[in-house]
Short mmCIF file of all heavy atoms in Angstrom, two decimals:
data_model
loop_
_atom_site.label_atom_id
_atom_site.label_comp_id
_atom_site.label_asym_id
_atom_site.label_seq_id
_atom_site.Cartn_x
_atom_site.Cartn_y
_atom_site.Cartn_z
N VAL R 1219 73.46 101.90 91.58
CA VAL R 1219 73.09 102.37 92.95
C VAL R 1219 72.51 103.78 92.76
O VAL R 1219 71.55 104.10 93.48
CB VAL R 1219 74.32 102.21 93.81
CG1 VAL R 1219 74.08 103.11 95.22
CG2 VAL R 1219 74.60 100.89 94.05
N ARG R 1220 73.18 104.68 91.93
CA ARG R 1220 72.88 105.94 91.86
C ARG R 1220 71.75 106.43 90.83
O ARG R 1220 71.14 107.38 91.01
CB ARG R 1220 74.16 106.79 91.74
CG ARG R 1220 75.03 106.76 92.85
CD ARG R 1220 76.32 107.52 92.70
NE ARG R 1220 77.04 107.63 93.87
CZ ARG R 1220 77.81 106.62 94.49
NH1 ARG R 1220 77.86 105.54 93.79
NH2 ARG R 1220 78.46 106.86 95.50
N LEU R 1221 71.76 105.65 89.80
CA LEU R 1221 70.92 106.06 88.63
C LEU R 1221 69.50 105.34 88.51
O LEU R 1221 68.54 105.82 88.02
CB LEU R 1221 71.70 105.97 87.37
CG LEU R 1221 73.04 106.71 87.28
CD1 LEU R 1221 73.63 106.44 85.98
CD2 LEU R 1221 72.79 108.19 87.40
N ASP R 1222 69.55 104.08 88.99
CA ASP R 1222 68.34 103.40 88.74
C ASP R 1222 67.35 103.43 89.95
O ASP R 1222 67.70 103.87 90.98
CB ASP R 1222 68.62 101.83 88.58
CG ASP R 1222 69.38 101.57 87.21
OD1 ASP R 1222 68.99 102.19 86.31
OD2 ASP R 1222 70.18 100.70 87.16
N ALA R 1223 66.06 103.15 89.74
CA ALA R 1223 65.00 103.15 90.71
C ALA R 1223 65.01 101.80 91.45
O ALA R 1223 65.25 100.74 90.76
CB ALA R 1223 63.62 103.44 90.05
N TRP R 1224 64.67 101.89 92.71
CA TRP R 1224 64.78 100.73 93.53
C TRP R 1224 63.37 100.49 94.27
O TRP R 1224 62.85 101.49 94.73
CB TRP R 1224 65.86 100.94 94.67
CG TRP R 1224 67.26 100.77 94.05
CD1 TRP R 1224 67.99 101.87 93.60
CD2 TRP R 1224 68.15 99.65 94.11
NE1 TRP R 1224 69.20 101.47 93.22
CE2 TRP R 1224 69.36 100.02 93.43
CE3 TRP R 1224 67.96 98.30 94.36
CZ2 TRP R 1224 70.33 99.14 93.09
CZ3 TRP R 1224 68.95 97.38 94.07
CH2 TRP R 1224 70.10 97.96 93.46
N ASP R 1225 62.93 99.31 94.25
CA ASP R 1225 61.59 99.09 94.98
C ASP R 1225 62.01 98.61 96.40
O ASP R 1225 63.08 98.22 96.85
CB ASP R 1225 60.75 98.24 94.31
CG ASP R 1225 61.20 96.80 94.14
OD1 ASP R 1225 61.87 96.23 94.97
OD2 ASP R 1225 61.02 96.12 92.96
N GLU R 1226 60.96 98.54 97.24
CA GLU R 1226 61.16 98.29 98.64
C GLU R 1226 61.83 96.91 98.94
O GLU R 1226 62.62 96.79 99.73
CB GLU R 1226 59.83 98.50 99.53
CG GLU R 1226 60.08 98.62 100.87
CD GLU R 1226 60.60 99.96 101.26
OE1 GLU R 1226 60.48 100.88 100.74
OE2 GLU R 1226 61.57 99.90 102.18
N ALA R 1227 61.19 95.95 98.18
CA ALA R 1227 61.77 94.67 98.35
C ALA R 1227 63.25 94.36 98.14
O ALA R 1227 63.96 93.67 98.69
CB ALA R 1227 60.92 93.55 97.52
N GLN R 1228 63.64 95.16 97.02
CA GLN R 1228 65.01 95.05 96.61
C GLN R 1228 66.00 95.65 97.66
O GLN R 1228 67.04 95.26 97.98
CB GLN R 1228 65.30 95.65 95.18
CG GLN R 1228 64.55 94.93 94.06
CD GLN R 1228 64.44 95.87 92.87
OE1 GLN R 1228 64.81 97.07 92.82
NE2 GLN R 1228 64.00 95.13 91.77
N VAL R 1229 65.55 96.77 98.18
CA VAL R 1229 66.32 97.46 99.25
C VAL R 1229 66.40 96.58 100.45
O VAL R 1229 67.42 96.58 101.12
CB VAL R 1229 65.68 98.88 99.58
CG1 VAL R 1229 66.42 99.49 100.65
CG2 VAL R 1229 65.65 99.81 98.42
N GLU R 1230 65.33 96.00 100.83
CA GLU R 1230 65.28 95.06 101.94
C GLU R 1230 66.15 93.87 101.73
O GLU R 1230 66.95 93.44 102.66
CB GLU R 1230 63.89 94.58 102.27
CG GLU R 1230 62.89 95.78 102.93
CD GLU R 1230 61.52 95.39 102.98
OE1 GLU R 1230 61.18 94.20 102.86
OE2 GLU R 1230 60.72 96.09 103.43
N PHE R 1231 66.12 93.28 100.66
CA PHE R 1231 67.06 92.15 100.21
C PHE R 1231 68.50 92.62 100.44
O PHE R 1231 69.41 91.87 101.04
CB PHE R 1231 66.81 91.61 98.84
CG PHE R 1231 67.39 90.36 98.51
CD1 PHE R 1231 66.96 89.15 99.04
CD2 PHE R 1231 68.67 90.46 97.86
CE1 PHE R 1231 67.62 87.96 98.73
CE2 PHE R 1231 69.23 89.23 97.52
CZ PHE R 1231 68.80 87.99 97.91
N LEU R 1232 68.84 93.69 99.77
CA LEU R 1232 70.25 94.18 100.01
C LEU R 1232 70.68 94.40 101.46
O LEU R 1232 71.69 94.04 101.80
CB LEU R 1232 70.49 95.48 99.26
CG LEU R 1232 70.69 95.33 97.67
CD1 LEU R 1232 70.71 96.75 97.19
CD2 LEU R 1232 72.01 94.65 97.41
N ALA R 1233 69.75 94.95 102.21
CA ALA R 1233 69.94 95.30 103.67
C ALA R 1233 70.13 93.97 104.38
O ALA R 1233 70.99 93.95 105.36
CB ALA R 1233 68.87 96.08 104.22
N SER R 1234 69.46 92.94 104.02
CA SER R 1234 69.63 91.71 104.76
C SER R 1234 70.67 90.95 104.31
O SER R 1234 70.99 89.77 104.91
CB SER R 1234 68.21 91.03 104.68
OG SER R 1234 67.99 90.59 103.51
N HIS R 1235 71.33 91.32 103.36
CA HIS R 1235 72.57 90.38 102.78
C HIS R 1235 73.81 91.30 102.85
O HIS R 1235 74.35 91.46 103.83
CB HIS R 1235 72.25 89.98 101.44
CG HIS R 1235 71.00 88.81 101.28
ND1 HIS R 1235 69.83 89.16 101.56
CD2 HIS R 1235 71.26 87.54 101.28
CE1 HIS R 1235 69.14 87.97 101.41
NE2 HIS R 1235 69.90 86.96 101.23
N GLY R 1236 74.24 91.57 101.65
CA GLY R 1236 75.43 92.44 101.67
C GLY R 1236 76.70 91.63 101.41
O GLY R 1236 76.64 90.39 101.21
N ASN R 1237 77.80 92.35 101.14
CA ASN R 1237 79.12 91.54 100.63
C ASN R 1237 79.53 90.54 101.59
O ASN R 1237 80.00 89.46 101.08
CB ASN R 1237 80.06 92.54 100.25
CG ASN R 1237 79.82 93.37 99.10
OD1 ASN R 1237 78.75 93.39 98.57
ND2 ASN R 1237 80.73 94.31 98.69
N ASP R 1238 79.59 90.83 102.94
CA ASP R 1238 80.07 89.84 103.91
C ASP R 1238 79.24 88.72 103.92
O ASP R 1238 79.90 87.51 103.94
CB ASP R 1238 80.14 90.63 105.33
CG ASP R 1238 81.30 91.62 105.42
OD1 ASP R 1238 82.21 91.73 104.61
OD2 ASP R 1238 81.22 92.47 106.38
N ALA R 1239 78.03 88.85 103.86
CA ALA R 1239 77.05 87.69 104.06
C ALA R 1239 77.18 86.84 102.74
O ALA R 1239 77.31 85.47 102.80
CB ALA R 1239 75.67 88.05 104.06
N ALA R 1240 77.37 87.54 101.56
CA ALA R 1240 77.60 86.69 100.28
C ALA R 1240 78.94 85.93 100.33
O ALA R 1240 78.99 84.82 99.85
CB ALA R 1240 77.43 87.64 99.10
#
Side-chain angles (χ1 to χ4, degrees):
V1219 168
R1220 291 175 171 79
L1221 301 178
D1222 288 326
W1224 292 84
D1225 64 40
E1226 197 66 40
Q1228 293 166 350
V1229 176
E1230 288 176 3
F1231 186 81
L1232 279 173
S1234 62
H1235 289 75
N1237 290 5
D1238 286 344

